[in-house]
Amino acid sequence: MKLETLIKPLGIHISQEDESVEIQGLAFNSSEVEKNFIFVAIPGTQTDGHMYIEDAILNGACVVIGEENLTSVGVPYIRVPNARKTLGLVAQIFYGNPTQHKIMIGITGTNGKTTTSFMLKHILESVGISCALFGSVSTIINGVEQESYHTTTDAVTLNKLLATCHDSVVIMEVSSHGLVQSRVEGLRFDVCIFTNLEHEHLDYHKTMESYFEAKQSLFEYLKPNGIAVINSNTSWGERLCSFVNTLNKEVIKINGTNPTYMVNEEELISLDAPIQSYSLRSRMKGKHNLENASLAFSTAISLNIDPLNIERALESFGGVPGRFELFEHPAGATCIVDYAHTTNAFSHILEAARLYNPQRIIHIFGFRGDRDVQKRKSMVEVSLEKCETCILTFDDLNGVPSEQMIRDLNALDPMNRCIIIPDRTLAIQYAWEKAQNNDLIVITGKGIENYQNSFSLPTASDIHTLHYLNDSLAIQNEHYQSL
């Protein structure tokens, strides 16, 4: 592809001599540059891509795009105000505008993105509509699943994957980090969904206002006839509705003031005349999952799916890996693994767990090192309020010394109301061995994610640890029976 084809649509002027330069690929990491690539130098929080221009040229870069005022680069250099945004726009053109004939659905919010996306995918596929999924649990394209390393991947990888996609609909979780870093720049969405907003990622965004503005920016990517589906049960949702109205876009409002739909028990009630109600029943318990279901349901209706087919699909929805995933315990207890890692998420999942009428709830969780510490105290308080036993343990330390994290855990519990077991696998083993009939062990924070740190048991994740403990018990029982 000629450089002129990539750059001219962006309103960027280049010399006639440079217009015919042949481009074979794009990269923003100098180590990934190959012959005849464009290298986009992005200023980052930890390193600056401009420092690696020389390396990129040695690796084959024939054009460099950056923000600094540079001369004598050695290859054509294009200066732009925002290299991240330019990368997204150039990637979209290079890969042939891969979403132009697809229905694009973007989902943002603190909690519920993954569950809502899986619910919606299940609904659409139940009526024969093929769906791709880009999310934190996995990426699924053309029916083939691959591991996700980020909730929202970088613009080059994203467009490259979309170019291989033959699915009719693309459902994409869009994180606040991804929005601030322009990873979806160039994409346009038919539907944008907002789940909720609560205290999270303030180590990155610093304030709730900045965090909200990041989430809000997704709705600026709506197509001219795009639709916003917004959970408005908080002031953040109400504010977002007002913002989208200024964009002159249609808003489907769930709950709040003058809503399109209300959630009541297990029903979604349409307030249009005549008033109608639809079933939100699924295997996933809890008020939060009713809200997730309402967002998926109302989105499917906006895509002209028959409500009866949506109801049937929700009833058959089997859940999401690592989201309220249930495991039987040999003593008659039940284990639940969930990704919940905020105060409200704790509250929702523990309330949902209480619906099983357990004898007691044993809650195991930790905190990620070098992340937002402001939410930790309230998370502990919620756990102590709603559980009979609270076990504090490690999550990913992210370079924080284990001794420091142990001090932090102890400081959160000055009255010794919690049990502190730093080794996560041993914390799960402790609860496993203490569990009795009708107990619930709730393990939160990681879902299906693998451990970054090494622990005592030879396991890679919370789910793997539960399977290991169950298998070990089975082996012991076989041994005793053989004696």
Side-chain angles (χ1 to χ4, degrees):
M1 182 178 291
K2 302 295 184 186
L3 179 61
E4 178 186 23
T5 305
L6 284 173
I7 296 302
K8 283 283 182 76
L10 306 183
I12 298 173
H13 298 288
I14 55 177
S15 69
Q16 189 172 3
E17 181 183 357
D18 294 337
E19 288 179 354
S20 60
V21 173
E22 191 69 30
I23 304 300
Q24 299 293 329
L26 311 170
F28 61 95
N29 184 328
S30 62
S31 65
E32 296 176 359
V33 170
E34 298 178 20
K35 186 177 180 181
N36 294 329
F37 269 41
I38 292 179
F39 173 65
V40 182
I42 295 176
T45 55
Q46 297 181 341
T47 188
D48 188 341
H50 295 84
M51 298 169 56
Y52 301 94
I53 289 176
E54 185 175 338
D55 291 340
I57 294 173
L58 288 174
N59 288 337
C62 61
V63 175
V64 174
I65 296 174
E67 296 181 9
E68 294 184 2
N69 186 17
L70 302 178
T71 57
S72 303
V73 172
V75 298
Y77 178 75
I78 302 170
R79 187 185 183 192
V80 296
N82 189 316
R84 288 187 184 275
K85 287 190 175 184
T86 302
L87 175 66
L89 295 170
V90 170
Q92 180 199 35
I93 298 170
F94 183 81
Y95 288 104
N97 193 8
T99 64
Q100 60 182 328
H101 300 303
K102 301 184 186 302
I103 295 174
M104 296 291 295
I105 300 172
I107 306 177
T108 198
T110 305
N111 298 311
K113 297 186 296 295
T114 299
T115 300
T116 302
S117 65
F118 270 80
M119 282 181 168
L120 184 55
K121 183 176 188 291
H122 179 72
I123 290 168
L124 297 180
E125 290 184 337
S126 73
V127 295
I129 300 173
S130 61
C131 293
L133 179 66
F134 290 77
S136 54
V137 169
S138 60
T139 297
I140 305 171
I141 302 173
N142 305 325
V144 178
E145 183 174 1
Q146 54 187 286
E147 186 177 356
S148 291
Y149 296 98
H150 300 283
T151 300
T152 310
T153 191
D154 67 85
V156 175
T157 303
L158 182 57
N159 280 277
K160 186 176 182 179
L161 289 172
L162 286 167
T164 70
C165 176
H166 305 301
D167 297 300
S168 301
V169 177
V170 174
I171 302 171
M172 185 179 299
E173 294 182 45
V174 187
S175 67
S176 56
H177 291 68
L179 288 161
V180 170
Q181 296 170 12
S182 303
R183 297 179 201 166
V184 295
E185 192 67 34
L187 302 186
R188 290 296 178 265
F189 294 89
D190 297 89
V191 183
C192 288
I193 301 170
F194 174 77
T195 60
N196 49 59
L197 192 83
E198 64 170 289
H199 189 129
E200 175 71 333
H201 299 309
L202 296 196
D203 55 314
Y204 182 81
H205 296 288
K206 307 306 179 187
T207 67
M208 285 296 292
E209 187 65 26
S210 295
Y211 183 33
F212 171 72
E213 289 174 358
K215 296 292 190 184
Q216 176 180 269
S217 68
L218 172 65
F219 294 80
E220 298 176 17
Y221 292 89
L222 278 167
K223 294 178 181 177
N225 60 345
I227 298 172
V229 181
I230 299 173
N231 181 7
S232 299
N233 62 350
T234 67
S235 60
W236 297 114
E238 293 287 354
R239 281 185 59 184
L240 183 57
C241 286
S242 298
F243 172 76
V244 176
N245 285 331
T246 67
L247 302 176
N248 295 316
K249 299 293 191 292
E250 180 182 349
V251 176
I252 296 175
K253 190 175 182 182
I254 313 295
N255 299 324
T257 305
N258 300 319
T260 313
Y261 299 101
M262 287 288 291
V263 178
N264 181 27
E265 297 296 333
E266 292 187 319
E267 288 185 327
L268 180 69
I269 301 173
S270 171
L271 300 181
D272 292 336
I275 294 176
Q276 298 182 25
S277 63
Y278 309 107
S279 171
L280 293 176
R281 293 186 184 90
S282 76
R283 299 177 190 177
M284 300 192 74
K285 293 183 179 291
K287 178 183 176 183
H288 61 303
N289 281 319
L290 287 176
E291 292 178 351
N292 296 333
S294 73
L295 292 167
F297 199 118
S298 53
T299 301
I301 288 181
S302 76
L303 298 175
N304 300 314
I305 308 301
D306 185 282
L308 182 59
N309 289 331
I310 303 174
E311 290 177 329
R312 290 170 177 166
L314 280 178
E315 287 181 358
S316 65
F317 180 64
V320 183
R323 265 61 173 181
F324 211 86
E325 192 167 356
L326 303 177
F327 299 86
E328 293 183 359
H329 186 284
T334 301
C335 303
I336 298 173
V337 174
D338 194 88
Y339 186 62
H341 56 283
T342 66
T343 304
N344 280 354
F346 273 20
S347 182
H348 291 320
I349 190 175
L350 295 174
E351 287 172 3
R354 191 62 66 183
L355 295 175
Y356 287 87
N357 297 314
Q359 184 70 26
R360 58 179 178 163
I361 297 177
I362 304 170
H363 186 198
I364 304 169
F365 65 98
F367 306 101
R368 301 198 173 181
D370 198 29
R371 294 289 173 87
D372 185 1
V373 300
Q374 299 176 50
K375 63 180 182 176
R376 292 179 178 179
K377 183 177 180 180
S378 61
M379 291 168 70
V380 172
E381 292 300 326
V382 166
S383 180
L384 287 168
E385 175 190 343
K386 297 182 180 294
C387 302
E388 282 69 33
T389 302
C390 172
I391 302 176
L392 296 180
T393 188
F394 283 177
D395 200 314
D396 298 333
L397 292 177
N398 294 325
V400 173
S402 57
E403 296 81 5
Q404 177 61 53
M405 183 58 74
I406 291 172
R407 288 195 295 270
D408 291 347
L409 294 180
N410 280 295
L412 287 167
D413 183 34
M415 299 180 67
N416 298 318
R417 294 175 293 173
C418 303
I419 299 170
I420 298 178
I421 305 176
D423 187 303
R424 193 175 183 92
T425 60
L426 296 184
I428 296 172
Q429 183 180 45
Y430 174 87
W432 176 275
E433 292 174 349
K434 295 292 184 181
Q436 301 173 5
N437 184 46
N438 205 33
D439 282 347
L440 266 177
I441 302 172
V442 181
I443 310 168
T444 59
K446 295 194 66 63
I448 66 168
E449 288 183 351
N450 284 340
Y451 300 144
Q452 289 185 8
N453 302 96
S454 298
F455 298 120
S456 295
L457 300 184
T459 56
S461 68
D462 292 343
I463 293 173
H464 188 195
T465 301
L466 290 175
H467 286 306
Y468 174 85
L469 293 169
N470 192 55
D471 293 343
S472 297
L473 181 63
I475 292 171
Q476 291 177 20
N477 290 336
E478 288 179 5
H479 173 71
Y480 291 132
Q481 290 173 7
S482 67
L483 294 177

